[in-house]
Amino acid sequence: MGSFNIAVIPGDGIGPEVTNGTCEVLQVIAQKYGHSFHFEELLAGGSAIDATGETLPASTLAACKKSDAVLLGAVGGPKWDSLPGKQRPEQALLGLRAGLGLYANLRPAVLHKELSQACPLKDKYVADGIDIMIVRELTGGIYFGERGRRDGGKSPDGQDMGQEAYDTESYSVLEIERIARVGFELAMGRKKKVFCIDKANILETSRLWREVVGRVSLEYPEVEVEYMYVDNASMQLVRRPSDFDVMITSNIFGDILSDEAGMITGSIGMLPSASLGAPGKPGMYEPVHGSAPDIAGLNKANPLATILSAAMMLRWTLGLRKEADAIENAVSKVLSEGYRTIDIAYSEECTVLGTREMTQKVILSIV
Ligand code: NAD
């Protein structure tokens, strides 16, 4: 029996719809398994701008730091699109990642067999299923490096180059080591295979990445390591997706490859994610999708990505494995019974449900 404080940031658009239902799912888990979850609802993103003028109020970050885990819906929407970059709702995400030290982003890409029709690849490429765990470095690299504009000077033939822009990629041994360990630890509980994705034929950061991953791999002799250039990885993901298991990547490569891996497994409404920091610190769990303003308030959003994110939270931060399994099994059962939200309704035989009804089906399927 455990008692846990969960910071809930519903955010904007469909965020409140999918997080409310997910909290109901978690309450049912608490009742069935004898735990207590205390939810504290917090502001971030567009709704925080409207209420406080800030995208990430200091009180939100402070409450998240004190919590056991954070559940986030999504932030952003057209209402705030004209704000300058630093004042936009999406800045809240960077603030939360940096403020909570969330350096490891786990994005599983699983093809649920019931949703195989959602996969855009031919059957022969996915006959063995898809079960990939992308482990993306989240607080370093080019997204956090020095950037700016400057005078581009003259070209070799004397032409004025005009203004130039630059972004900087840098990685330290510590940053690579800690993300590599997350990847190897995960691999130990899976098929014991790690793919190190980089561009070591060109980039110095990638060469350091390979050196460090190679050193860390010595601590995990049972785990097989395959090094792959990112351009090749993006091809192999559509050619032989079943061969991949844990993929360790830098921030930018992981950002791109996880969207590709997500796409080949079907709808964005099915993809959960976890962002983890130092052991013992709160992790943040959120669906991969955004605030979907086009369907907000219409009871059309697929809540499963957020519900599956909550399962990851139980497994990775709260240490409640059988409870996580219970949620994942409930989702599989509902899908196998033919229930779908509109984004994953590919066959005429399925029964289309709204957000609330899908959530209730999952709740009723928890054993
Ligand atoms: P989006 O993911 O919100 O929507 C893309 C498409 O997928 C839309 O057609 C939408 O209806 C659909 N969709 C998304 N989630 C769905 C779900 N759960 N069920 C059914 N359909 C779903 O991406 P976007 O339109 O590029 O962005 C909308 C807003 O969300 C923007 O302001 C963007 O900045 C923000 N955003 C936030 C996050 C986040 O909070 N982590 C991530 C991505 C985008």
Side-chain angles (χ1 to χ4, degrees):
M1 281 208 359
S3 174
F4 302 96
N5 294 314
I6 300 172
V8 182
I9 303 177
D12 310 313
I14 61 169
E17 296 169 60
V18 292
T19 49
N20 288 345
T22 299
C23 290
E24 282 179 49
V25 171
L26 285 169
Q27 281 300 20
V28 171
I29 289 286
Q31 282 157 15
K32 284 207 191 266
Y33 289 84
H35 304 297
S36 67
F37 296 134
H38 308 281
F39 300 109
E40 184 176 6
E41 197 168 306
L42 303 166
L43 285 171
S47 50
I49 295 172
D50 289 351
T52 69
E54 290 177 276
T55 178
L56 180 62
S59 55
T60 293
L61 184 57
C64 289
K65 282 183 178 170
K66 275 199 242 149
S67 72
D68 291 304
V70 181
L71 179 70
L72 181 126
V75 297
K79 183 176 177 191
W80 306 280
D81 273 351
S82 55
L83 290 172
K86 288 235 152 96
Q87 292 166 30
R88 285 176 62 102
E90 294 82 357
Q91 281 297 315
L93 300 173
L94 298 183
L96 283 163
R97 287 171 191 166
L100 297 172
L102 304 172
Y103 60 81
N105 186 216
L106 276 46
R107 284 193 177 192
V110 178
L111 180 62
H112 296 265
K113 64 178 184 316
E114 301 83 3
L115 296 181
S116 52
Q117 282 170 292
C119 176
L121 303 181
K122 288 191 177 131
D123 290 350
K124 64 177 177 178
Y125 295 123
V126 292
D128 296 330
I130 303 176
D131 184 1
I132 303 170
M133 177 66 86
I134 296 193
V135 180
R136 167 191 169 197
E137 202 289 325
L138 200 60
T139 51
I142 199 163
Y143 290 176
F144 285 82
E146 198 189 324
R147 64 174 57 93
R149 304 274 178 110
R150 61 191 169 202
D151 180 6
K154 301 272 185 212
S155 71
D157 62 357
Q159 289 188 65
D160 188 354
M161 299 288 279
Q163 197 184 48
E164 73 177 14
Y166 62 95
D167 299 276
T168 321
E169 169 97 342
S170 66
Y171 269 113
S172 65
V173 168
L174 182 142
E175 287 174 309
I176 305 167
E177 250 173 28
R178 64 188 183 184
I179 192 75
R181 281 216 171 80
V182 171
F184 279 95
E185 287 293 332
L186 281 165
M188 287 297 289
R190 295 170 54 99
K191 286 184 265 171
K192 298 195 171 67
K193 175 105 200 224
V194 157
F195 291 80
C196 173
I197 309 298
D198 59 43
K199 190 71 185 162
N201 49 343
I202 310 270
L203 301 176
E204 195 55 35
T205 42
S206 286
R207 286 194 268 272
L208 182 63
W209 198 276
R210 276 198 184 198
E211 274 170 43
V212 175
V213 168
R215 273 206 301 276
V216 172
S217 76
L218 300 177
E219 298 166 29
Y220 300 87
E222 291 168 64
V223 178
E224 187 191 341
V225 188
E226 187 168 332
Y227 297 92
M228 195 179 273
Y229 298 139
V230 63
D231 38 358
N232 185 26
S234 70
M235 290 195 296
Q236 301 307 328
L237 264 177
V238 292
R239 197 164 154 265
R240 50 178 183 109
S242 310
D243 289 356
F244 286 93
D245 188 17
V246 173
M247 299 173 84
I248 303 178
T249 76
S250 65
N251 203 339
I252 187 168
F253 294 161
D255 191 10
I256 298 164
L257 289 182
S258 59
D259 272 22
E260 184 187 0
M263 189 59 229
I264 59 177
T265 58
S267 167
I268 197 165
M270 292 297 302
L271 298 173
S273 81
S275 301
L276 306 178
K281 297 281 182 195
M284 187 163 85
Y285 295 84
E286 56 180 316
V288 167
H289 61 73
S291 60
D294 52 333
I295 55 167
L298 300 178
N299 196 36
K300 282 186 175 173
N302 185 344
L304 297 180
T306 315
I307 292 172
L308 291 169
S309 300
M312 292 185 82
M313 176 174 85
L314 297 181
R315 177 171 290 115
W316 299 116
T317 294
L318 306 186
L320 305 176
R321 285 180 181 211
K322 63 179 186 309
E323 292 81 345
D325 288 344
I327 292 183
E328 287 165 356
N329 292 339
V331 168
S332 293
K333 180 164 184 283
V334 167
L335 293 174
S336 67
E337 288 169 352
Y339 295 110
R340 304 280 188 272
T341 42
I342 190 74
D343 58 310
I344 50 171
Y346 292 95
S347 96
E348 283 174 10
E349 289 109 65
C350 65
T351 309
V352 177
L353 301 177
T355 312
R356 287 190 291 276
E357 295 72 24
M358 181 56 111
T359 306
Q360 290 311 311
K361 283 285 174 205
V362 173
I363 285 174
L364 291 172
S365 300
I366 292 174
V367 289

